[in-house]
Amino acid sequence: AEAYSNLGAHQSDLGRREEAIVSYNKAIELKPDFASVRNNLGNVLKDLGRNEEAITCYNKAIELKPDFVEAYCILGHCMKSTGRNKDAVNAYQQSLSMKPEYAPSLIGLSHAYLKMGLSVDGLKLKRRVEGVISFGPNGSMRILEKPQ
């Protein structure tokens, strides 16, 4: 299963996403409780615009590993991109309940709030994110270890 997982990651990195899907599915066939592979498969499917299939993968990864912060976050991204902003908010909040300063979830949550017309909540989070992310003069960005 590990070998197929590694092969899938390599194929994905090379942009060979359909081949990566086959490899990840083979890894899952050999090891059905492989949460990180289900997450990686979700990422490939999301990249291909197959959001509903990706959502299924992220939910299964979370079922297998309930503290999978990253899976909750990317699930939020998928929900948001399909217009399910309330579900996105729930996913981001789950992620943040485990890792309160997880910048990708903070950013996603602020965008979901703004899309829902909750500008006060969205702007509050945006200010909070600015404490977690340092923006350089040339538009560069880096995630800080601790909020300032």
Side-chain angles (χ1 to χ4, degrees), residues 49-52 55 75-85 87 115:
R50 294 163 57 179
N51 288 318
E52 294 305 320
I55 287 168
L75 174 62
H77 297 336
C78 274
M79 293 294 191
K80 190 173 53 158
S81 71
T82 59
R84 290 180 271 183
N85 291 309
D87 291 329
K115 279 185 148 187

Side-chain angles (χ1 to χ4, degrees), residues 105-115 121-122 125-126 129:
S105 290
L106 289 169
I107 293 167
L109 182 57
S110 70
H111 290 165
Y113 280 152
L114 291 170
K115 279 185 148 187
D121 292 327
L125 268 176
K126 185 178 181 309
V129 169

Side-chain angles (χ1 to χ4, degrees), residues 18-88:
E18 293 297 335
E19 292 174 43
I21 290 170
V22 172
S23 296
Y24 286 140
N25 279 324
K26 186 66 175 173
I28 291 167
E29 182 182 314
L30 295 170
K31 187 177 176 186
D33 62 344
F34 208 159
S36 63
V37 171
R38 290 183 185 272
N39 186 69
N40 292 343
L41 176 58
N43 292 340
V44 171
L45 292 166
K46 180 179 72 66
D47 289 346
L48 291 171
R50 294 163 57 179
N51 288 318
E52 294 305 320
E53 292 171 86
I55 287 168
T56 299
C57 289
Y58 297 129
N59 280 326
K60 186 63 178 179
I62 290 165
E63 178 186 318
L64 293 168
K65 186 179 176 197
D67 63 345
F68 204 154
V69 171
E70 294 81 5
Y72 277 109
C73 179
I74 302 170
L75 174 62
H77 297 336
C78 274
M79 293 294 191
K80 190 173 53 158
S81 71
T82 59
R84 290 180 271 183
N85 291 309
K86 286 183 181 182
D87 291 329

Side-chain angles (χ1 to χ4, degrees), residues 1-11 23-24 26-27 30 34 37:
E2 285 286 337
Y4 282 108
S5 173
N6 292 336
L7 179 60
H10 182 67
Q11 291 165 324
S23 296
Y24 286 140
K26 186 66 175 173
L30 295 170
F34 208 159
V37 171

